[in-house]
Amino acid sequence: MRRSLVVGNWKMNGTLASAEMLAKGIIAGLGASDADIAVCVPYVYLPRVSEVVKGSQLGLGSQNIADKSSGAFTGEISASMLKEFDCQYALVGHSERRSYYGDTNESVAARYCQAQEQNITPILCVGETLEQRELDQTFQVINEQLDAVINLAGISSFNKAVIAYEPVWAIGTGKTASDEQAQEVHHYIRQYIAAKDQTIADKIQILYGGSAKPENAQGLFAMPDIDGGLIGGASLDAESFLKIFHSI
Ligand code: PGA
């Protein structure tokens, strides 16, 4: 049985005070659960939020990670720096990074490796744009995004990684993939990995992301290959994030 996982992606939102309040609000409502939960917070809020989550079930992650280990790379934050603040997870290749900041499949693969070198679990985000979906290129795009990582890190690296399928057309648009649309791609991803290593495919957590909210989470999470969610907008409110978490 795979463990379920729900991850909040706060993106570039909030203040130090609201970040602290949100983390405390989530912790207060966790209750007893077999599923895992984490939040990926803006870098500058990591020190404070890492204090807040200490000793709780709420895990901590970053929204990006440098593709190099140290040196003259102005503006970047390394894996070892993130480790100092107890980051367990790092998003890599979020579509906003790919489309606005030029992250390529290759640089995403390098970021993924940097995370693993510090024992931080990379959450590898993959997904197609609307145009690619309409051109029937969804699976090809996903293959290329996965292959870049497999070529650099090897299939066995997925022993300690999470994949998030996030159709770009569903992110922040209010347009969620239907349960079946999401399941189809999740199943495809698992089969793609199974062709190389069945044991890893059975074990790897594949999260859905893209306008997931309390109203649609239960249906998505009931799909056999959907192991949880990567939640943007709805993770900025403790109550709605907790509702999603408890619907797993
Ligand atoms: P959304 O974002 O839930 O606001 O669509 C998801 C994500 O970008 O990870």
Side-chain angles (χ1 to χ4, degrees):
M1 236 337 236
R2 289 185 292 273
R3 282 180 78 80
S4 301
L5 171 66
V6 173
V7 179
N9 173 11
W10 292 358
K11 308 194 181 184
M12 195 172 72
N13 289 297
T15 62
L16 181 56
S18 72
E20 185 175 341
M21 246 173 53
L22 182 50
K24 284 182 176 163
I26 296 166
I27 292 167
L30 283 179
S33 172
D34 284 341
D36 293 325
I37 182 166
V39 286
C40 293
V41 313
Y43 285 138
V44 290
Y45 299 154
L46 282 170
R48 179 68 64 87
V49 178
S50 77
E51 291 296 323
V52 174
V53 304
K54 209 164 266 171
S56 81
Q57 204 203 324
L58 182 61
L60 188 63
S62 64
Q63 299 172 14
N64 189 16
I65 190 165
D67 59 346
K68 311 272 193 325
S69 58
S70 71
F73 303 104
T74 303
E76 289 298 298
I77 303 288
S78 72
S80 61
M81 293 170 183
L82 295 172
K83 197 68 193 173
E84 286 188 84
F85 296 100
D86 302 320
C87 268
Q88 295 156 254
Y89 299 98
L91 300 182
V92 299
H94 189 280
S95 72
E96 286 149 20
R97 299 294 322 168
R98 293 179 190 263
S99 62
Y100 305 143
Y101 301 102
D103 289 13
T104 60
N105 281 341
E106 289 64 37
S107 91
V108 169
R111 291 169 206 277
Y112 173 104
C113 288
Q114 287 297 323
Q116 287 195 332
E117 266 177 40
Q118 290 295 329
N119 212 18
I120 294 171
T121 302
I123 301 177
L124 172 65
C125 305
V126 299
E128 80 289 0
T129 63
L130 184 59
E131 192 190 359
Q132 288 163 336
R133 174 163 279 260
E134 284 169 349
L135 289 170
D136 241 348
Q137 294 172 344
T138 299
F139 296 144
Q140 183 195 327
V141 168
I142 302 243
N143 289 355
E144 287 165 6
Q145 291 171 335
L146 292 176
D147 281 346
V149 168
I150 295 169
N151 292 340
L152 192 68
I155 190 73
S156 64
S157 74
F158 283 120
N159 267 312
K160 195 126 200 309
V162 172
I163 294 174
Y165 168 58
E166 299 205 302
V168 180
W169 48 271
I171 296 178
T173 59
K175 234 197 246 174
T176 326
S178 69
D179 302 345
E180 292 74 23
Q181 270 175 328
Q183 165 59 24
E184 183 190 24
V185 181
H186 280 239
H187 180 71
Y188 175 81
I189 293 171
R190 205 177 298 285
Q191 289 311 113
Y192 193 74
I193 294 172
K196 301 172 199 297
D197 192 313
Q198 184 69 51
T199 312
I200 291 176
D202 289 341
K203 191 178 124 187
I204 191 159
Q205 293 166 316
I206 309 179
L207 313 182
Y208 169 80
S211 299
K213 30 188 183 284
E215 299 77 50
N216 58 27
Q218 201 160 14
L220 288 161
F221 295 165
M223 294 287 120
D225 288 297
I226 300 183
D227 305 311
L230 178 55
I231 320 297
S235 74
L236 294 172
D237 174 72
E239 199 186 318
S240 70
F241 187 53
L242 285 164
K243 268 193 194 143
I244 293 172
F245 175 62
H246 290 306
S247 70
I248 210 147

